[in-house]
Amino acid sequence: WLPIAGLLLISLAFLEAAPPPQHPNPLHPAPANGSDYFVRASGQTASGVLWQASGDSFRASFALDRFVLSARTESSVQSQSISFLNADRGAVLEALDPLPGKANFFIGNDPSRWARGLSTYSRLKYRNLYPGIDLVFYWNAGHLEYDFAVAPSADPQQIHLQIDGDQNTRVTQSGDLRTGTGALEVLHRPLLYQNTQNGRKVVSGKFAALPDRAIGFDLGDYDRTRELIIDPTLTLLYST
């Protein structure tokens, strides 16, 4: 979450005995524990934030035009905002795969700012973030990951990201994206592939630095009649 004033207590109660629903893709399992989930923002976040997430490595918040990663140190909360440049204004942000758990938020002593029984989900999807391109966030073994799903014939070069206010953003020689410093230094390592009749086919690709501090992708050849998945994993490099 973005930094907030006052005391924030969070509880997650699993009220049903049924296990979490399984993601149709076995590579992206449903969360394995109660800390990996997405929940609708309910007045305890910054303006414009629609959804938020909690996991072992990060906390995150999601608006239509950006997502924000946060990590807590002993003395402060560090945040990092990643914007979607030139995204489709008609994009829809929706939660998928409900979980049996409910989240409760209590801020300070004012009951009007408390929220109880909020539904939790295992995935969050930006539908049509760019024409023909969806973006899906999910948790995998405590790690936040995100997939750009590029429809057949859609142009992945539309994807432009910007790390707001971060002068330490850099694309490494191997094509990984490193952002932030200290407790919130994050490595984004992409895996690109297509699903075929013979299984998953890996596609060569990496992050690329673009003009005006934008970040995109440099892709090798792939079958443009099939969906392309761009799947970066977010790894928190240092935590204090």
Side-chain angles (χ1 to χ4, degrees), residues 63-91:
L64 285 176
D65 61 346
R66 69 191 186 280
F67 68 98
V68 179
L69 302 176
S70 298
R72 180 176 294 278
T73 68
E74 293 181 356
S75 59
S76 66
V77 175
Q78 295 186 19
S79 297
Q80 185 181 110
S81 180
I82 302 177
S83 296
F84 312 120
L85 299 181
N86 303 316
D88 192 324
R89 293 186 177 182

Side-chain angles (χ1 to χ4, degrees), residues 17-216:
Q22 295 299 312
H23 192 291
N25 186 340
L27 296 172
H28 300 162
N33 61 67
S35 66
D36 301 341
Y37 63 92
F38 298 91
V39 64
R40 186 180 296 277
S42 183
Q44 69 279 355
T45 56
S47 176
V49 172
L50 301 177
W51 292 87
Q52 54 192 5
S54 174
D56 294 337
S57 53
F58 305 107
R59 290 179 179 177
S61 57
F62 303 87
L64 285 176
D65 61 346
R66 69 191 186 280
F67 68 98
V68 179
L69 302 176
S70 298
R72 180 176 294 278
T73 68
E74 293 181 356
S75 59
S76 66
V77 175
Q78 295 186 19
S79 297
Q80 185 181 110
S81 180
I82 302 177
S83 296
F84 312 120
L85 299 181
N86 303 316
D88 192 324
R89 293 186 177 182
V92 175
L93 181 54
E94 58 187 354
L96 305 173
D97 298 343
L99 295 170
K102 301 294 183 181
N104 304 305
F105 296 88
F106 304 99
I107 300 177
N109 297 317
D110 183 358
S112 69
R113 300 185 66 193
W114 297 355
R116 293 185 175 91
L118 300 179
S119 297
T120 58
Y121 300 83
S122 64
R123 292 191 298 150
L124 192 65
K125 183 175 185 177
Y126 288 83
R127 187 181 299 278
N128 211 37
L129 181 63
Y130 296 94
I133 301 175
D134 295 337
L135 173 59
V136 179
F137 286 84
Y138 56 93
W139 294 101
N140 188 355
H143 293 284
L144 182 64
E145 299 188 19
Y146 59 100
D147 292 357
F148 287 101
V150 183
S153 76
D155 182 8
Q157 302 302 331
Q158 299 176 93
I159 302 170
H160 286 182
L161 308 176
Q162 188 171 74
I163 317 301
D164 298 335
D166 184 0
Q167 302 301 320
N168 298 292
T169 298
R170 64 268 192 208
V171 175
T172 68
Q173 290 184 345
S174 60
D176 297 334
L177 176 64
R178 292 182 73 148
T179 61
T181 58
L184 195 55
E185 183 169 5
V186 183
L187 179 71
H188 307 241
R189 174 163 290 166
L191 170 67
L192 294 84
Y193 64 90
Q194 293 184 289
N195 293 312
T196 72
Q197 295 92 334
N198 298 319
R200 189 172 69 176
K201 180 180 179 181
V202 175
V203 174
S204 64
K206 57 187 180 180
F207 281 101
L210 303 175
D212 299 323
R213 297 178 50 248
I215 303 294

